């Protein structure tokens, strides 16, 4: 079918040409104005969908955290119910603390005593954590190195406290030097107590050497 006929006049040719140009302009305008806006809107809808998914995942994560906190609270409550079994263990800890305090008090050197007091604190922390794990039925899976690193992370000393920094560095090296060993059961108590006594023995050896 011909768009232009032989008998068409100038006006008819102009009218048809204007119609064709109008259609072409409409197509051009669509792909350069309306179509890009439509694509942008589709992208925005996609981003909104992703945002909703992320929000849903965040809510699930918050729910998981809340559940973990409830589990932690239940565990702490269950430990509280085991006070009968803990009594003997706590008395033993108190006795060892008294012995360690007495030993520490016998040192004349105030600097060494300050370091030993801090090492005693670390030793007690380890011993208490192990006994609580035993009471909770988790003694076999108790990781003394992981707990030691947690104690170190929670007790970073002030830069101005020379004795605390000295004890901290000694405890850090003590853990690193034994990191390849397998320490379970009664060896955990030995590990904790030796933290204090090994340092004390080193002091005595230095004093003996200096007195010769």
């Amino acid at each position: 079918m011909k768009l232009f006929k032989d008998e068409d006049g100038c006006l008819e040719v102009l009218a048809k040409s204007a119609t064709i140009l109008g259609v072409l302009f409409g197509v051009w305008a669509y792909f350069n104005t309306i179509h890009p806006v439509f694509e942008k809107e589709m992208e925005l809808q996609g981003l909104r969908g992703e945002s909703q998914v992320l929000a849903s995942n965040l809510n699930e994560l918050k729910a998981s955290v809340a559940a973990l906190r409830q589990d932690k609270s239940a565990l702490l409550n269950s430990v509280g119910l085991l006070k009968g079994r803990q009594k003997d263990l706590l008395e033993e800890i108190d006795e060892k603390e008294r012995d360690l305090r007495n030993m520490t008090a016998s040192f004349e050197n105030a600097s060494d005593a300050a370091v030993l007091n801090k090492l005693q604190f670390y030793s007690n922390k380890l011993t208490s954590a192990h006994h609580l794990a035993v009471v909770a039925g988790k003694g076999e899976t108790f990781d003394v190195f992981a707990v030691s690193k947690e104690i170190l992370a929670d007790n970073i000393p002030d830069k101005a406290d020379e004795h605390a920094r000295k004890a901290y560095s000694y405890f850090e090296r003590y853990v690193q030097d034994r990191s390849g060993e397998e320490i379970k059961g009664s060896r955990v108590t030995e590990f904790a107590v030796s933290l204090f006594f090994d340092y004390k023995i080193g002091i005595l050896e230095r004093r003996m050497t200096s007195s010769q």
Side-chain angles (χ1 to χ4, degrees):
M1 178 180 176
K2 281 184 163 186
L3 293 175
F4 300 100
K5 299 180 180 178
D6 295 337
E7 61 270 19
D8 288 343
C10 289
L11 292 175
E12 292 177 339
V13 171
L14 287 173
K16 290 180 179 180
S17 297
T19 301
I20 293 170
L21 289 173
V23 171
L24 292 175
F25 178 77
V27 172
W28 178 85
Y30 171 78
F31 281 103
N32 287 275
T33 58
I34 298 173
H35 186 66
V37 172
F38 176 75
E39 287 183 333
K40 284 291 183 184
E41 182 62 26
M42 292 298 292
E43 290 178 5
L44 287 174
Q45 289 180 2
L47 291 174
R48 290 191 192 102
E50 291 179 5
S51 177
Q52 291 174 353
V53 171
L54 289 173
S56 176
N57 291 340
L58 180 60
N59 290 334
E60 290 179 0
L61 181 58
K62 288 180 178 178
S64 297
V65 171
L68 287 173
R69 285 176 177 166
Q70 289 179 351
D71 291 343
K72 178 183 176 182
S73 178
L75 177 60
L76 292 175
N77 290 335
S78 66
V79 171
L81 297 175
L82 298 172
K83 288 183 178 179
R85 291 185 61 191
Q86 290 182 16
K87 184 179 179 181
D88 293 338
L89 295 173
L90 292 175
E91 288 178 353
E92 181 182 349
I93 292 171
D94 289 339
E95 183 181 353
K96 289 180 179 179
E97 287 178 348
R98 287 192 297 272
D99 291 342
L100 290 173
R101 282 194 295 268
N102 291 334
M103 292 176 186
T104 302
S106 66
F107 283 92
E108 296 178 358
N109 189 308
S111 176
D112 289 338
V115 175
L116 284 169
N117 278 327
K118 197 63 181 179
L119 290 176
Q120 175 187 334
F121 168 78
Y122 294 139
S123 177
N124 291 342
K125 280 278 189 182
L126 280 171
T127 305
S128 298
H130 179 239
H131 283 315
L132 288 175
V134 171
V135 170
K138 298 182 178 179
E140 293 299 322
T141 58
F142 183 82
D143 188 342
V144 69
F145 295 108
V147 174
S148 296
K149 290 176 182 177
E150 289 178 5
I151 294 173
L152 285 166
D154 293 339
N155 295 276
I156 298 175
D158 191 283
K159 291 182 178 180
D161 193 339
E162 179 184 353
H163 302 127
R165 287 191 291 109
K166 190 173 183 179
Y168 185 91
S169 297
Y170 179 83
F171 185 23
E172 197 172 36
R173 290 195 306 272
Y174 182 88
V175 173
Q176 290 174 352
D177 291 343
R178 293 158 179 78
S179 60
E181 300 179 22
E182 183 178 355
I183 299 177
K184 300 291 182 182
S186 61
R187 290 201 63 201
V188 174
T189 302
E190 179 185 345
F191 177 91
V193 173
S194 294
L195 171 64
F196 175 87
F197 281 102
D198 284 1
Y199 190 84
K200 175 193 170 184
I201 291 169
I203 292 173
L204 294 175
E205 288 177 344
R206 288 196 302 272
R207 289 183 176 181
M208 290 173 63
T209 301
S210 62
S211 64
Q212 290 177 354

